[in-house]
Amino acid sequence: PGDPVIVTGDFNAGERNPALTALVSSGDAAAPFVDTYRIRHPDEAVVGTFTDFKMGNTTGEKIDYVLVQPGTEVISAEIIRASRNNRYPSDHFPVAATIRLMDR
């Protein structure tokens, strides 16, 4: 108890999925975590993280997350859409966040 918690992963659940909304705070709803990407990019519409190995596929829902506790400083958060030789290394775009943990 009292130690900071970070939750990461492929949830296979979009941002409005009840499984995710139970974990993630939004505006008026309190929950144990916040989505680092939405802290830095609250209005971004193109957020698809599942590529199905199709080049340029950025549509769809964001299903990969870096979640932190409210109050954690989110310095940056990105969906990494890099490729090499017109190929993706995975069927999901990686997500990354730089955070600063709070003293407790």
Coordinates of all heavy atoms in Angstrom, one line a residue:
P1 N 0.8 -1.2 0.0 CA 0.0 0.0 0.0 C 0.9 1.3 0.0 O 1.9 1.3 0.7 CB -0.8 -0.1 1.3 CG -0.8 -1.6 1.6 CD 0.5 -2.1 1.1
G2 N 0.4 2.2 -0.8 CA 1.2 3.5 -0.8 C 2.2 3.5 -2.0 O 2.6 4.6 -2.3
D3 N 2.6 2.4 -2.5 CA 3.5 2.4 -3.6 C 2.8 2.8 -4.9 O 1.6 2.4 -5.1 CB 4.2 1.1 -3.8 CG 5.2 0.8 -2.7 OD1 5.7 1.7 -2.0 OD2 5.5 -0.4 -2.5
P4 N 3.4 3.5 -5.8 CA 2.8 3.8 -7.1 C 2.5 2.6 -7.9 O 3.3 1.6 -7.9 CB 3.8 4.8 -7.8 CG 5.1 4.6 -7.1 CD 4.8 4.0 -5.7
V5 N 1.5 2.7 -8.7 CA 1.1 1.5 -9.6 C 1.0 2.0 -11.0 O 0.4 3.1 -11.3 CB -0.3 0.9 -9.2 CG1 -0.7 -0.2 -10.1 CG2 -0.2 0.4 -7.7
I6 N 1.6 1.3 -11.9 CA 1.5 1.5 -13.4 C 0.9 0.2 -14.0 O 1.4 -0.9 -13.7 CB 2.9 1.8 -14.0 CG1 3.5 3.0 -13.3 CG2 2.8 2.1 -15.5 CD1 5.0 3.2 -13.6
V7 N -0.1 0.4 -14.9 CA -0.7 -0.8 -15.5 C -0.5 -0.5 -17.0 O -0.9 0.5 -17.6 CB -2.2 -0.9 -15.2 CG1 -2.8 -2.1 -16.0 CG2 -2.4 -1.1 -13.7
T8 N 0.1 -1.5 -17.7 CA 0.3 -1.4 -19.2 C -0.2 -2.7 -19.9 O -0.3 -3.7 -19.3 CB 1.8 -1.3 -19.5 OG1 2.5 -2.5 -19.1 CG2 2.4 -0.1 -18.8
G9 N -0.5 -2.5 -21.1 CA -0.8 -3.7 -21.9 C -1.8 -3.5 -23.0 O -2.4 -2.4 -23.2
D10 N -2.0 -4.6 -23.7 CA -3.0 -4.7 -24.8 C -4.3 -5.2 -24.1 O -4.4 -6.4 -23.7 CB -2.5 -5.8 -25.8 CG -3.6 -6.2 -26.8 OD1 -4.7 -5.7 -26.8 OD2 -3.3 -7.2 -27.5
F11 N -5.2 -4.3 -24.0 CA -6.5 -4.7 -23.3 C -7.5 -5.3 -24.2 O -8.6 -5.8 -23.8 CB -7.1 -3.5 -22.6 CG -6.3 -3.1 -21.3 CD1 -5.0 -2.8 -21.3 CD2 -7.0 -3.0 -20.1 CE1 -4.3 -2.4 -20.2 CE2 -6.3 -2.6 -19.0 CZ -5.0 -2.3 -19.0
N12 N -7.3 -5.1 -25.5 CA -8.3 -5.5 -26.5 C -9.7 -5.0 -26.2 O -10.7 -5.6 -26.4 CB -8.4 -7.1 -26.7 CG -7.3 -7.6 -27.5 OD1 -6.8 -6.9 -28.4 ND2 -6.8 -8.8 -27.2
A13 N -9.7 -3.8 -25.7 CA -10.9 -3.1 -25.3 C -10.8 -1.6 -25.6 O -9.8 -1.0 -25.2 CB -11.2 -3.2 -23.8
G14 N -11.7 -1.1 -26.3 CA -11.7 0.4 -26.7 C -12.0 1.3 -25.5 O -12.3 0.8 -24.4
E15 N -11.8 2.5 -25.7 CA -11.9 3.5 -24.6 C -13.3 3.6 -24.0 O -13.4 4.0 -22.8 CB -11.5 4.9 -25.1 CG -10.0 4.9 -25.5 CD -9.6 6.3 -26.0 OE1 -9.9 6.5 -27.2 OE2 -9.0 7.1 -25.3
R16 N -14.3 3.2 -24.7 CA -15.7 3.2 -24.1 C -16.2 1.8 -23.6 O -17.3 1.7 -23.1 CB -16.7 3.7 -25.2 CG -16.5 5.2 -25.5 CD -17.4 5.7 -26.5 NE -17.3 5.1 -27.8 CZ -16.5 5.5 -28.8 NH1 -15.7 6.5 -28.6 NH2 -16.4 4.8 -29.9
N17 N -15.3 0.8 -23.7 CA -15.6 -0.5 -23.2 C -15.8 -0.5 -21.7 O -14.9 0.1 -21.0 CB -14.5 -1.5 -23.6 CG -14.9 -2.9 -23.3 OD1 -15.0 -3.2 -22.1 ND2 -15.0 -3.7 -24.3
P18 N -16.8 -1.0 -21.1 CA -17.1 -1.0 -19.7 C -15.9 -1.6 -18.9 O -15.6 -1.2 -17.8 CB -18.3 -1.9 -19.5 CG -19.0 -1.8 -20.8 CD -18.0 -1.7 -21.8
A19 N -15.2 -2.6 -19.4 CA -14.0 -3.1 -18.7 C -12.9 -2.1 -18.6 O -12.2 -2.0 -17.5 CB -13.4 -4.3 -19.5
L20 N -12.8 -1.2 -19.5 CA -11.8 -0.1 -19.4 C -12.3 1.1 -18.6 O -11.6 1.6 -17.8 CB -11.3 0.4 -20.8 CG -10.1 1.3 -20.7 CD1 -8.9 0.5 -20.3 CD2 -9.9 2.1 -21.9
T21 N -13.6 1.4 -18.8 CA -14.1 2.6 -18.1 C -14.2 2.3 -16.6 O -14.2 3.3 -15.8 CB -15.5 3.0 -18.6 OG1 -16.4 1.9 -18.5 CG2 -15.4 3.5 -20.1
A22 N -14.2 1.1 -16.2 CA -14.2 0.8 -14.7 C -12.8 1.1 -14.1 O -12.7 1.4 -12.9 CB -14.5 -0.7 -14.5
L23 N -11.8 1.1 -15.0 CA -10.4 1.4 -14.5 C -10.0 2.8 -14.7 O -9.1 3.3 -13.9 CB -9.4 0.5 -15.3 CG -9.4 -1.0 -15.1 CD1 -8.5 -1.7 -16.1 CD2 -9.0 -1.3 -13.6
V24 N -10.5 3.5 -15.7 CA -10.0 4.8 -16.1 C -10.9 5.9 -15.8 O -12.1 5.9 -16.1 CB -9.7 4.8 -17.6 CG1 -9.1 6.1 -18.1 CG2 -8.6 3.7 -17.9
S25 N -10.4 7.0 -15.1 CA -11.2 8.2 -14.8 C -11.4 8.9 -16.1 O -10.6 9.0 -17.0 CB -10.4 9.1 -13.9 OG -10.2 8.5 -12.6
S26 N -12.6 9.5 -16.1 CA -12.9 10.4 -17.3 C -13.8 11.5 -16.7 O -14.8 11.3 -16.1 CB -13.7 9.7 -18.4 OG -14.9 9.2 -17.9
G27 N -13.4 12.8 -16.9 CA -14.1 13.9 -16.5 C -14.8 13.8 -15.2 O -14.3 14.2 -14.2
D28 N -16.1 13.3 -15.2 CA -16.8 13.3 -14.0 C -16.8 12.0 -13.2 O -17.3 11.8 -12.1 CB -18.3 13.6 -14.3 CG -18.9 12.7 -15.3 OD1 -18.2 11.9 -16.0 OD2 -20.1 12.6 -15.4
A29 N -16.2 10.9 -13.8 CA -16.1 9.6 -13.2 C -14.8 9.4 -12.6 O -13.7 9.4 -13.2 CB -16.5 8.5 -14.2
A30 N -14.8 9.0 -11.3 CA -13.5 8.7 -10.6 C -13.2 7.2 -10.8 O -14.1 6.4 -10.7 CB -13.6 9.1 -9.1
A31 N -12.0 6.9 -11.0 CA -11.5 5.5 -11.1 C -10.1 5.5 -10.6 O -9.4 6.5 -10.4 CB -11.7 5.1 -12.5
P32 N -9.5 4.3 -10.5 CA -8.2 4.2 -9.9 C -7.1 4.6 -10.8 O -5.9 4.9 -10.3 CB -8.0 2.7 -9.5 CG -9.1 2.0 -10.3 CD -10.2 3.0 -10.6
F33 N -7.3 4.8 -12.1 CA -6.2 5.1 -13.1 C -6.7 6.2 -14.1 O -7.9 6.4 -14.3 CB -5.8 3.8 -13.8 CG -5.2 2.8 -12.9 CD1 -6.0 1.7 -12.6 CD2 -4.0 2.9 -12.4 CE1 -5.5 0.7 -11.7 CE2 -3.5 1.9 -11.6 CZ -4.2 0.8 -11.2
V34 N -5.7 6.8 -14.7 CA -5.9 7.7 -15.9 C -5.1 7.1 -17.0 O -4.0 6.5 -16.8 CB -5.5 9.1 -15.6 CG1 -6.4 9.7 -14.5 CG2 -4.1 9.3 -15.1
D35 N -5.5 7.4 -18.2 CA -4.8 7.0 -19.4 C -3.8 8.1 -19.8 O -4.1 9.2 -20.1 CB -5.8 6.8 -20.6 CG -5.2 6.5 -21.9 OD1 -4.0 6.2 -22.0 OD2 -6.0 6.4 -22.9
T36 N -2.5 7.7 -19.8 CA -1.5 8.7 -20.0 C -1.6 9.4 -21.4 O -1.4 10.6 -21.5 CB -0.1 8.1 -20.0 OG1 0.0 7.0 -20.9 CG2 0.2 7.6 -18.6
Y37 N -2.0 8.6 -22.4 CA -2.2 9.2 -23.7 C -3.3 10.3 -23.7 O -3.1 11.3 -24.3 CB -2.6 8.1 -24.8 CG -2.5 8.6 -26.2 CD1 -1.3 8.8 -26.9 CD2 -3.7 9.1 -26.8 CE1 -1.3 9.3 -28.2 CE2 -3.7 9.6 -28.1 CZ -2.5 9.7 -28.8 OH -2.5 10.2 -30.0
R38 N -4.4 10.0 -23.0 CA -5.5 11.0 -23.0 C -5.1 12.2 -22.1 O -5.6 13.3 -22.4 CB -6.8 10.4 -22.5 CG -7.4 9.5 -23.6 CD -7.7 10.3 -24.8 NE -8.3 9.6 -25.9 CZ -8.4 10.0 -27.1 NH1 -7.9 11.1 -27.5 NH2 -9.0 9.2 -28.0
I39 N -4.2 12.1 -21.2 CA -3.8 13.2 -20.4 C -3.0 14.2 -21.4 O -3.3 15.4 -21.3 CB -2.8 12.8 -19.3 CG1 -3.6 12.0 -18.3 CG2 -2.1 14.0 -18.7 CD1 -4.7 12.7 -17.5
R40 N -2.2 13.7 -22.2 CA -1.4 14.5 -23.2 C -2.2 14.8 -24.4 O -1.8 15.8 -25.1 CB -0.1 13.8 -23.5 CG 0.8 13.5 -22.3 CD 1.1 14.7 -21.4 NE 1.8 15.8 -22.2 CZ 2.0 17.0 -21.8 NH1 1.5 17.4 -20.7 NH2 2.6 17.9 -22.6
H41 N -3.1 14.0 -24.9 CA -3.8 14.2 -26.2 C -5.3 14.0 -26.0 O -5.9 13.0 -26.5 CB -3.3 13.2 -27.2 CG -1.8 13.2 -27.3 ND1 -1.1 14.1 -28.1 CD2 -0.9 12.4 -26.8 CE1 0.2 13.8 -28.0 NE2 0.4 12.8 -27.2
P42 N -6.0 14.8 -25.2 CA -7.3 14.6 -24.8 C -8.3 14.6 -26.0 O -9.4 13.9 -25.9 CB -7.7 15.7 -23.8 CG -6.7 16.8 -24.1 CD -5.4 16.1 -24.6
D43 N -8.0 15.3 -27.1 CA -9.0 15.4 -28.2 C -8.5 14.7 -29.4 O -9.2 14.8 -30.5 CB -9.2 16.9 -28.5 CG -9.8 17.6 -27.3 OD1 -10.6 17.1 -26.6 OD2 -9.3 18.8 -27.0
E44 N -7.5 13.9 -29.4 CA -7.0 13.2 -30.6 C -8.0 12.2 -31.0 O -8.5 11.4 -30.2 CB -5.6 12.5 -30.3 CG -5.1 11.8 -31.5 CD -4.8 12.7 -32.7 OE1 -4.2 13.8 -32.5 OE2 -5.2 12.4 -33.8
A45 N -8.3 12.3 -32.3 CA -9.3 11.3 -32.9 C -8.7 10.1 -33.5 O -9.3 9.0 -33.5 CB -10.2 12.1 -33.9
V46 N -7.6 10.2 -34.1 CA -6.9 9.1 -34.8 C -6.0 8.4 -33.8 O -4.9 8.8 -33.6 CB -6.1 9.6 -36.0 CG1 -5.5 8.4 -36.7 CG2 -7.0 10.4 -37.0
V47 N -6.6 7.4 -33.1 CA -5.9 6.7 -32.0 C -5.8 5.2 -32.2 O -5.4 4.5 -31.2 CB -6.5 7.1 -30.7 CG1 -6.4 8.5 -30.4 CG2 -8.0 6.6 -30.7
G48 N -6.1 4.7 -33.3 CA -6.1 3.2 -33.5 C -4.7 2.6 -33.2 O -3.7 3.1 -33.7
T49 N -4.7 1.6 -32.4 CA -3.4 0.9 -32.1 C -3.3 -0.5 -32.7 O -2.2 -1.1 -32.6 CB -3.1 0.9 -30.6 OG1 -4.2 0.2 -29.9 CG2 -3.0 2.3 -30.0
F50 N -4.4 -1.0 -33.3 CA -4.3 -2.3 -33.9 C -4.2 -2.2 -35.4 O -5.0 -1.5 -36.0 CB -5.6 -3.1 -33.6 CG -5.7 -4.5 -34.2 CD1 -4.8 -5.5 -33.8 CD2 -6.6 -4.7 -35.2 CE1 -4.8 -6.7 -34.4 CE2 -6.6 -6.0 -35.8 CZ -5.7 -7.0 -35.4
T51 N -3.1 -2.7 -35.9 CA -2.8 -2.5 -37.3 C -3.2 -3.7 -38.2 O -3.3 -3.5 -39.4 CB -1.3 -2.3 -37.6 OG1 -0.6 -3.5 -37.3 CG2 -0.7 -1.2 -36.7
D52 N -3.3 -4.9 -37.6 CA -3.5 -6.1 -38.4 C -2.5 -6.2 -39.5 O -2.7 -6.8 -40.5 CB -4.9 -6.1 -39.0 CG -5.4 -7.4 -39.4 OD1 -4.9 -8.4 -38.9 OD2 -6.3 -7.5 -40.3
F53 N -1.3 -5.6 -39.2 CA -0.1 -5.7 -40.2 C -0.4 -4.9 -41.5 O 0.3 -5.2 -42.5 CB 0.4 -7.1 -40.4 CG 1.0 -7.7 -39.3 CD1 0.4 -8.8 -38.6 CD2 2.3 -7.3 -38.8 CE1 1.1 -9.4 -37.5 CE2 2.9 -7.9 -37.8 CZ 2.3 -8.9 -37.1
K54 N -1.4 -4.1 -41.5 CA -1.8 -3.4 -42.7 C -1.2 -2.0 -42.7 O -1.5 -1.2 -41.8 CB -3.3 -3.3 -42.9 CG -3.9 -4.6 -43.1 CD -5.4 -4.5 -43.2 CE -6.0 -5.9 -43.3 NZ -7.5 -5.9 -43.1
M55 N -0.3 -1.7 -43.6 CA 0.4 -0.4 -43.6 C -0.6 0.8 -43.6 O -1.5 0.8 -44.4 CB 1.4 -0.3 -44.8 CG 2.7 -1.1 -44.6 SD 3.6 -0.6 -43.2 CE 4.0 1.1 -43.5
G56 N -0.3 1.8 -42.8 CA -1.1 3.0 -42.8 C -2.4 2.8 -42.0 O -3.2 3.8 -41.9
N57 N -2.7 1.7 -41.5 CA -4.0 1.5 -40.7 C -3.9 2.1 -39.3 O -3.3 1.6 -38.4 CB -4.3 0.0 -40.6 CG -5.6 -0.3 -40.0 OD1 -6.5 0.6 -39.9 ND2 -5.9 -1.5 -39.5
T58 N -4.5 3.3 -39.2 CA -4.5 4.0 -37.9 C -6.0 4.2 -37.5 O -6.2 4.9 -36.5 CB -3.8 5.3 -38.0 OG1 -4.5 6.1 -39.0 CG2 -2.3 5.2 -38.3
T59 N -6.9 3.6 -38.2 CA -8.3 3.7 -37.8 C -8.6 2.7 -36.7 O -7.8 1.9 -36.3 CB -9.2 3.5 -39.0 OG1 -9.0 2.1 -39.5 CG2 -9.0 4.4 -40.2
G60 N -9.8 2.8 -36.2 CA -10.2 1.9 -35.2 C -9.9 2.5 -33.8 O -9.6 3.7 -33.7
E61 N -10.1 1.7 -32.8 CA -10.0 2.1 -31.4 C -8.6 1.9 -30.9 O -7.8 1.1 -31.3 CB -11.0 1.4 -30.6 CG -12.5 1.6 -31.0 CD -13.4 1.0 -30.0 OE1 -13.6 1.6 -28.9 OE2 -13.9 -0.1 -30.3
K62 N -8.3 2.7 -29.8 CA -7.1 2.5 -29.1 C -7.4 1.4 -28.1 O -8.3 1.5 -27.3 CB -6.8 3.8 -28.3 CG -5.4 3.8 -27.6 CD -5.0 5.2 -27.3 CE -5.6 5.8 -26.1 NZ -5.3 5.0 -24.9
I63 N -6.6 0.3 -28.2 CA -6.8 -0.8 -27.3 C -5.6 -1.1 -26.5 O -5.6 -2.1 -25.8 CB -7.3 -2.0 -28.1 CG1 -6.3 -2.5 -29.1 CG2 -8.6 -1.8 -28.8 CD1 -6.6 -3.8 -29.9
D64 N -4.5 -0.3 -26.6 CA -3.3 -0.5 -25.9 C -3.1 0.7 -25.0 O -3.3 1.9 -25.4 CB -2.1 -0.7 -26.9 CG -2.4 -1.9 -27.8 OD1 -2.0 -3.0 -27.3 OD2 -2.9 -1.7 -28.9
Y65 N -2.6 0.5 -23.8 CA -2.6 1.6 -22.8 C -1.4 1.6 -21.9 O -0.8 0.5 -21.6 CB -3.9 1.4 -21.9 CG -5.2 1.5 -22.6 CD1 -5.7 0.3 -23.1 CD2 -5.8 2.7 -22.9 CE1 -6.9 0.4 -23.9 CE2 -7.0 2.7 -23.6 CZ -7.5 1.6 -24.1 OH -8.7 1.6 -24.8
V66 N -1.1 2.7 -21.3 CA -0.2 2.9 -20.2 C -1.1 3.7 -19.2 O -1.4 4.9 -19.5 CB 1.1 3.7 -20.5 CG1 1.9 3.9 -19.3 CG2 1.9 3.0 -21.6
L67 N -1.5 3.1 -18.1 CA -2.4 3.7 -17.1 C -1.6 4.0 -15.9 O -0.7 3.2 -15.4 CB -3.5 2.7 -16.8 CG -4.3 2.2 -17.9 CD1 -5.4 1.2 -17.4 CD2 -5.0 3.3 -18.7
V68 N -1.8 5.1 -15.3 CA -1.2 5.5 -14.0 C -2.2 6.1 -13.1 O -3.4 6.4 -13.4 CB -0.1 6.6 -14.3 CG1 1.0 6.1 -15.1 CG2 -0.7 7.9 -14.9
Q69 N -1.8 6.2 -11.8 CA -2.8 6.7 -10.8 C -3.0 8.2 -11.0 O -2.0 8.9 -11.5 CB -2.2 6.5 -9.4 CG -2.2 5.0 -9.1 CD -1.4 4.7 -7.9 OE1 -0.2 5.0 -7.9 NE2 -2.0 4.1 -6.9
P70 N -4.2 8.7 -10.8 CA -4.4 10.2 -10.9 C -3.4 11.0 -10.0 O -2.9 10.5 -9.0 CB -5.8 10.4 -10.3 CG -6.5 9.0 -10.5 CD -5.3 8.0 -10.3
G71 N -2.9 12.1 -10.6 CA -1.9 12.9 -9.9 C -0.5 12.6 -10.4 O 0.4 13.4 -10.1
T72 N -0.3 11.5 -11.1 CA 1.0 11.2 -11.6 C 1.3 12.2 -12.7 O 0.5 12.4 -13.6 CB 1.1 9.7 -12.2 OG1 0.7 8.8 -11.1 CG2 2.4 9.4 -12.7
E73 N 2.5 12.7 -12.7 CA 2.9 13.7 -13.8 C 3.2 12.9 -15.1 O 4.0 12.0 -15.1 CB 4.1 14.5 -13.4 CG 4.5 15.5 -14.5 CD 5.7 16.3 -14.1 OE1 6.2 16.2 -13.0 OE2 6.1 17.2 -14.9
V74 N 2.4 13.2 -16.1 CA 2.6 12.6 -17.5 C 3.4 13.6 -18.3 O 2.8 14.6 -18.7 CB 1.3 12.2 -18.1 CG1 1.5 11.6 -19.5 CG2 0.5 11.3 -17.2
I75 N 4.6 13.3 -18.5 CA 5.5 14.2 -19.3 C 5.2 14.1 -20.8 O 5.2 15.1 -21.5 CB 7.0 14.0 -18.9 CG1 7.2 14.3 -17.4 CG2 7.9 14.8 -19.8 CD1 8.4 13.7 -16.9
S76 N 5.1 12.8 -21.3 CA 4.8 12.6 -22.7 C 4.1 11.3 -22.8 O 4.2 10.4 -21.9 CB 6.0 12.6 -23.5 OG 6.9 11.5 -23.2
A77 N 3.3 11.1 -23.9 CA 2.7 9.8 -24.2 C 2.4 9.8 -25.7 O 2.0 10.8 -26.3 CB 1.4 9.7 -23.4
E78 N 2.8 8.7 -26.3 CA 2.7 8.6 -27.7 C 2.2 7.2 -28.2 O 2.4 6.2 -27.5 CB 4.1 8.8 -28.3 CG 4.7 10.2 -28.0 CD 3.9 11.4 -28.5 OE1 3.2 11.3 -29.5 OE2 3.9 12.4 -27.8
I79 N 1.7 7.2 -29.4 CA 1.4 6.0 -30.1 C 2.6 5.9 -31.2 O 2.7 6.9 -32.0 CB 0.1 5.9 -30.8 CG1 -1.0 6.0 -29.8 CG2 -0.1 4.7 -31.7 CD1 -2.4 6.2 -30.3
I80 N 3.4 4.9 -31.1 CA 4.6 4.9 -32.0 C 4.2 4.2 -33.3 O 4.0 3.0 -33.3 CB 5.8 4.2 -31.3 CG1 6.1 5.0 -30.0 CG2 7.0 4.1 -32.2 CD1 7.0 4.3 -29.1
R81 N 4.2 4.9 -34.4 CA 3.7 4.3 -35.7 C 4.9 4.1 -36.6 O 4.7 4.3 -37.8 CB 2.7 5.3 -36.3 CG 1.4 5.4 -35.4 CD 0.3 6.1 -36.1 NE -0.9 6.0 -35.3 CZ -1.4 7.0 -34.7 NH1 -0.8 8.2 -34.7 NH2 -2.5 6.9 -34.0
A82 N 6.0 3.7 -36.1 CA 7.2 3.5 -36.9 C 7.1 2.2 -37.7 O 6.4 1.2 -37.3 CB 8.4 3.4 -36.1
S83 N 7.7 2.1 -38.9 CA 7.8 0.9 -39.7 C 9.2 0.9 -40.3 O 9.9 1.9 -40.4 CB 6.7 0.9 -40.7 OG 6.9 2.0 -41.7
R84 N 9.5 -0.3 -40.9 CA 10.7 -0.4 -41.6 C 10.4 -1.3 -42.8 O 9.8 -2.3 -42.7 CB 11.8 -1.1 -40.7 CG 13.1 -1.2 -41.5 CD 14.2 -1.9 -40.6 NE 14.5 -1.0 -39.5 CZ 15.2 -1.4 -38.5 NH1 15.7 -2.6 -38.4 NH2 15.5 -0.5 -37.5
N85 N 10.9 -0.8 -44.0 CA 10.7 -1.5 -45.3 C 9.2 -1.8 -45.5 O 8.8 -2.9 -45.9 CB 11.5 -2.8 -45.3 CG 13.0 -2.5 -45.2 OD1 13.4 -1.5 -45.8 ND2 13.7 -3.4 -44.6
N86 N 8.3 -0.8 -45.1 CA 6.9 -1.0 -45.3 C 6.3 -2.2 -44.5 O 5.4 -2.8 -45.0 CB 6.5 -1.1 -46.8 CG 6.5 0.3 -47.4 OD1 6.2 1.3 -46.8 ND2 6.7 0.3 -48.7
R87 N 6.9 -2.4 -43.4 CA 6.4 -3.5 -42.5 C 6.4 -3.0 -41.0 O 7.3 -2.3 -40.6 CB 7.3 -4.7 -42.6 CG 7.3 -5.3 -44.0 CD 8.2 -6.5 -44.1 NE 7.5 -7.6 -43.4 CZ 8.0 -8.8 -43.4 NH1 9.2 -9.1 -43.9 NH2 7.3 -9.8 -42.8
Y88 N 5.4 -3.5 -40.3 CA 5.3 -3.2 -38.9 C 5.9 -4.4 -38.1 O 5.8 -5.5 -38.6 CB 3.9 -3.0 -38.4 CG 3.2 -1.7 -39.0 CD1 2.0 -1.8 -39.6 CD2 3.8 -0.5 -38.9 CE1 1.4 -0.7 -40.1 CE2 3.2 0.7 -39.4 CZ 2.0 0.6 -40.0 OH 1.4 1.7 -40.5
P89 N 6.5 -4.1 -37.0 CA 7.1 -5.2 -36.2 C 6.0 -6.0 -35.4 O 6.3 -7.1 -34.9 CB 8.1 -4.6 -35.3 CG 7.5 -3.2 -35.1 CD 6.9 -2.8 -36.4
S90 N 4.8 -5.5 -35.4 CA 3.8 -6.1 -34.6 C 2.4 -5.8 -35.2 O 2.3 -4.8 -36.0 CB 3.8 -5.6 -33.2 OG 2.7 -6.1 -32.4
D91 N 1.4 -6.5 -34.8 CA 0.0 -6.1 -35.3 C -0.6 -5.0 -34.5 O -1.7 -4.6 -34.7 CB -0.9 -7.4 -35.4 CG -1.1 -8.0 -34.0 OD1 -0.3 -7.8 -33.1 OD2 -2.1 -8.8 -33.9
H92 N 0.2 -4.5 -33.5 CA -0.2 -3.4 -32.7 C 0.9 -2.4 -32.7 O 2.0 -2.7 -32.7 CB -0.4 -3.8 -31.2 CG -1.6 -4.7 -30.9 ND1 -2.7 -4.2 -30.2 CD2 -1.9 -5.9 -31.3 CE1 -3.6 -5.2 -30.1 NE2 -3.1 -6.2 -30.8
F93 N 0.5 -1.1 -32.7 CA 1.4 0.0 -32.5 C 1.8 0.0 -31.0 O 1.0 -0.1 -30.2 CB 0.8 1.4 -32.9 CG 0.6 1.6 -34.3 CD1 -0.6 1.9 -34.8 CD2 1.7 1.5 -35.3 CE1 -0.9 2.1 -36.2 CE2 1.5 1.7 -36.6 CZ 0.2 2.0 -37.1
P94 N 3.1 0.2 -30.8 CA 3.5 0.3 -29.4 C 3.0 1.7 -28.8 O 2.8 2.6 -29.6 CB 5.0 0.3 -29.4 CG 5.4 -0.1 -30.8 CD 4.2 0.1 -31.7
V95 N 2.7 1.7 -27.5 CA 2.4 2.9 -26.8 C 3.5 3.1 -25.8 O 4.0 2.2 -25.2 CB 1.0 2.9 -26.2 CG1 -0.1 2.8 -27.3 CG2 0.8 1.7 -25.3
A96 N 3.8 4.4 -25.6 CA 4.9 4.7 -24.6 C 4.5 6.0 -23.9 O 3.8 6.9 -24.4 CB 6.2 5.0 -25.4
A97 N 5.0 6.1 -22.6 CA 4.8 7.2 -21.8 C 6.0 7.5 -21.0 O 6.6 6.6 -20.5 CB 3.5 7.1 -20.9
T98 N 6.3 8.8 -20.8 CA 7.3 9.2 -19.8 C 6.5 9.9 -18.7 O 5.8 10.8 -18.9 CB 8.3 10.2 -20.5 OG1 8.9 9.6 -21.6 CG2 9.3 10.6 -19.5
I99 N 6.8 9.3 -17.5 CA 6.0 9.8 -16.3 C 7.0 10.2 -15.2 O 8.2 9.8 -15.2 CB 5.0 8.8 -15.8 CG1 5.7 7.5 -15.3 CG2 4.0 8.5 -16.9 CD1 4.8 6.6 -14.6
R100 N 6.5 11.0 -14.2 CA 7.3 11.2 -13.0 C 6.4 10.8 -11.9 O 5.3 11.3 -11.7 CB 7.6 12.7 -12.9 CG 8.4 13.0 -11.6 CD 8.9 14.5 -11.6 NE 10.0 14.6 -12.6 CZ 9.9 15.5 -13.6 NH1 8.9 16.4 -13.7 NH2 10.9 15.6 -14.4
L101 N 7.0 9.8 -11.1 CA 6.2 9.3 -10.0 C 6.2 10.3 -8.8 O 7.2 11.0 -8.6 CB 6.8 8.0 -9.5 CG 6.8 6.8 -10.5 CD1 7.5 5.6 -10.0 CD2 5.3 6.5 -10.9
M102 N 5.1 10.3 -8.1 CA 5.0 11.2 -7.0 C 5.6 10.6 -5.7 O 5.7 9.4 -5.6 CB 3.5 11.4 -6.6 CG 2.7 12.0 -7.8 SD 0.9 12.2 -7.4 CE 0.5 10.6 -6.6
D103 N 6.1 11.5 -4.9 CA 6.5 11.0 -3.6 C 5.3 10.8 -2.7 O 4.4 11.5 -2.8 CB 7.4 12.1 -2.9 CG 8.7 12.3 -3.5 OD1 9.3 11.3 -4.1 OD2 9.3 13.4 -3.4
R104 N 5.3 9.7 -2.0 CA 4.1 9.3 -1.2 C 4.5 9.3 0.2 O 5.5 9.0 0.7 CB 3.6 8.0 -1.6 CG 3.2 8.0 -3.1 CD 2.1 7.0 -3.3 NE 1.7 7.0 -4.7 CZ 0.5 7.3 -5.0 NH1 -0.5 7.6 -4.2 NH2 0.1 7.3 -6.3

